[in-house]
Amino acid sequence: MPFYLRHDSYGEYIFDFGWAEAYARAGLRYYPKGVVAVPFTPVTGARILLAPSWGLDGANGTGAVAAARGQVVAGAMVDALTGLANSLGLSGVHVLFPRRVEHDFLVARGFLSRVTHQYHWENRDYRSFDDYLADLRSKKRKQVLHERAEVVAQASTSR
């Protein structure tokens, strides 16, 4: 598991500053916290790293025996992770952007589910920014152009 100790929440693409503030108001320490993630990468992917022939659910042709082995190994990894978090006195461990099967596995082992939203932009074969703009309704196109002009204006005044 790609595990890190964090003393802040910057760069995680998970905005939990409110939790840190609530902890502080209650006289508790939020940092350090444990994070299982690929740094600076808000992309769903494997967080419980198992041999390719093993899985947690028998999908992808791994079969029931391999899934059972995967669950035992993953369970040992999660137990070691929570033991480490407890021994270090961490406020918690955050597993960011796990695959659905890992999410369900962790929730079944007592982890809380984080509800969040991601917005994904799709390139519909745009060859240029102008192609992208042409695909927008007039109001959206004007808004995008206005926002870009504001950024340019801010950049020229900050030098």
Side-chain angles (χ1 to χ4, degrees), residues 132-150:
Y132 166 70
L133 289 174
D135 199 29
L136 298 176
R137 291 187 178 137
S138 175
K139 184 176 180 180
K140 281 284 189 195
R141 183 172 40 254
K142 287 179 184 176
Q143 180 182 354
V144 168
L145 290 171
H146 176 74
E147 289 172 0
R148 286 174 58 95
E150 284 182 350

Side-chain angles (χ1 to χ4, degrees), residues 48 98-108 111-114:
I48 301 174
R99 295 173 301 154
R100 171 55 61 186
V101 66
E102 293 169 322
H103 168 272
D104 295 345
F105 182 80
L106 292 165
V107 168
F111 278 62
L112 298 177
S113 179
R114 171 178 271 149

Side-chain angles (χ1 to χ4, degrees), residues 16-117:
D16 61 353
F17 299 104
W19 283 103
E21 291 171 10
Y23 266 67
R25 284 193 304 271
L28 301 171
R29 192 188 70 194
Y30 189 68
Y31 301 108
K33 66 179 183 178
V35 174
V36 175
V38 178
F40 304 105
T41 308
V43 177
T44 299
R47 301 298 180 257
I48 301 174
L49 305 178
L50 299 169
S53 61
W54 294 358
L56 291 175
D57 61 357
N60 300 327
T62 59
V65 172
R69 287 184 184 141
Q71 288 176 8
V72 169
V73 172
M77 291 167 65
V78 170
D79 290 345
L81 177 67
T82 54
L84 178 63
N86 288 332
S87 70
L88 294 174
L90 304 182
S91 65
V93 174
H94 303 246
V95 181
L96 305 181
F97 306 106
R99 295 173 301 154
R100 171 55 61 186
V101 66
E102 293 169 322
H103 168 272
D104 295 345
F105 182 80
L106 292 165
V107 168
R109 297 188 68 83
F111 278 62
L112 298 177
S113 179
R114 171 178 271 149
V115 178
T116 187
H117 301 281

